[in-house]
Amino acid sequence: MKNFEGRVAIVTGAAQGIGRAIADRLAAEGATLAVVDINDEAAQAAAVEIGGDAFSVACDIGDPASVTALHETIVQRAGKLDVLVNAAAIVPFVPWDELTFEEWRRVMRVNLDGIYLMCRAGSDLMRKNGYGRIVNIASNSIFAGTPNMAHYVASKGGILAFTRALATELGPHQITANSVCPGLTDTEGVQQTPHKEAFEFVEMLQAIKGRGKPQDIAPAVAFLASEDAHWITGQALAVDAGMIRW
Ligand code: NAD
Ligand code: 4PL
């Protein structure tokens, strides 16, 4: 079903991993897709692979000027914004004893400041048409208290709470805001960290066995980003084979 025909969507972090799988899914369902990532080369390659009218925009979501420029480009290239999926983040592995304030700030700048900047600019654009779907990617680590990423877990908890508040602010404009909380997922990013050793451990806690892939996360995001989800806002959905329950 072409759920996103005539819809313009931004997916951040779409050069690889979970963001890429979400971009693939929305484009396959007809969205005009902006592949947004700080990794310009990989974002360009992804947009070419996705094909159709997908285009890439290089953006550092933690930089206000970069986010403003991105939204100007969206207006020029697509004329409006219907869907914003914030998947870009830093996924660190830093034991507590090694966690410095500098490292804390590095992660907060992207994972929390970046979400604010994208939602600020994105929702201002959506309001012009009185329609919008925002999906922010949090993590089930906020329920599990996953080790070696206290700053990341804090940033993701911030996303969950912020998204609840955002839903209240944007409801009057027919814009929904929800978060999705993936469990450990096999991505390029995770493969570059010791988190890749944790798959067997999380599988033990999952109701459904197996190793989470980006393609396991994308359908839940696509649903919350669809017109059908108009009566759902301020919610958080765990997509982790039943590892956590709430
Ligand atoms: P990844 O590291 O494979 O990909 C992240 C992408 O974000 C990269 O392409 C990177 O270039 C981009 N990015 C980083 N900083 C950016 C910035 N400042 N501006 C723009 N783009 C930037 O990550 P992933 O594993 O696919 O994770 C995607 C999302 O899912 C993240 O929000 C992550 O926190 C979340 N998540 C991942 C897992 C997991 O186990 N992989 C679990 C739960 C939640
Ligand atoms: C359970 O979001 O949710 C490792 C790395 N383990 O990034 C995550 C779990 C990781 C997670 C995450």
Side-chain angles (χ1 to χ4, degrees):
M1 198 165 50
K2 293 264 184 185
N3 274 314
F4 297 98
E5 208 78 70
R7 296 291 181 195
V8 178
I10 290 177
V11 180
T12 70
Q16 66 181 46
I18 291 172
R20 172 63 197 270
I22 295 164
D24 287 348
R25 173 72 186 239
L26 298 187
E29 291 192 45
T32 295
L33 204 98
V35 176
V36 172
D37 206 285
I38 198 171
N39 185 345
D40 191 16
E41 208 177 315
Q44 284 183 37
V48 169
E49 280 176 34
I50 290 167
D53 52 7
F55 61 98
S56 71
V57 188
C59 175
D60 174 359
I61 61 160
D63 175 38
S66 187
V67 170
T68 300
L70 162 65
H71 284 81
E72 285 167 3
T73 303
I74 296 297
V75 171
Q76 281 163 14
R77 302 242 354 205
K80 62 165 182 169
L81 180 64
D82 299 303
V83 173
L84 169 61
V85 179
N86 286 303
I90 295 171
V91 184
F93 186 101
V94 182
W96 173 248
D97 286 351
E98 292 165 25
L99 186 55
T100 61
F101 185 58
E102 197 181 17
E103 166 63 13
W104 172 279
R105 281 298 325 150
R106 182 181 77 94
V107 165
M108 287 298 169
R109 176 187 170 280
V110 175
N111 293 14
L112 202 47
D113 298 355
I115 293 274
Y116 158 74
L117 290 169
M118 286 299 303
C119 289
R120 174 78 264 171
S123 68
D124 286 350
L125 203 45
M126 289 168 173
R127 277 171 68 159
K128 297 195 163 123
N129 297 311
Y131 178 89
R133 298 281 179 269
I134 297 175
V135 183
N136 292 329
I137 306 301
S139 163
N140 79 345
S141 65
I142 67 186
F143 306 102
T146 305
N148 302 304
M149 48 191 333
H151 51 341
Y152 171 92
V153 175
S155 74
K156 293 296 181 177
I159 289 174
L160 175 106
F162 168 64
T163 305
R164 286 180 174 167
L166 194 62
T168 312
E169 302 288 352
L170 298 179
H173 307 286
Q174 307 300 319
I175 301 170
T176 67
N178 293 286
S179 40
V180 164
C181 302
L184 181 62
T185 306
D186 197 352
T187 65
E188 292 91 332
V190 159
Q191 281 301 331
Q192 280 167 15
T193 71
H195 290 299
K196 68 174 186 291
E197 314 298 341
F199 281 100
E200 276 181 38
F201 176 75
V202 300
E203 198 173 345
M204 223 163 54
L205 306 172
Q206 290 169 202
I208 302 163
K209 301 306 172 189
R211 172 183 291 233
K213 301 179 301 302
Q215 294 75 15
D216 297 322
I217 311 302
V221 176
F223 170 63
L224 291 171
S226 73
E227 277 183 48
D228 272 354
H230 70 279
W231 210 235
I232 302 172
T233 194
Q235 305 303 308
L237 183 60
V239 183
D240 65 353
M243 175 176 152
I244 63 99
R245 328 281 161 91
W246 72 308

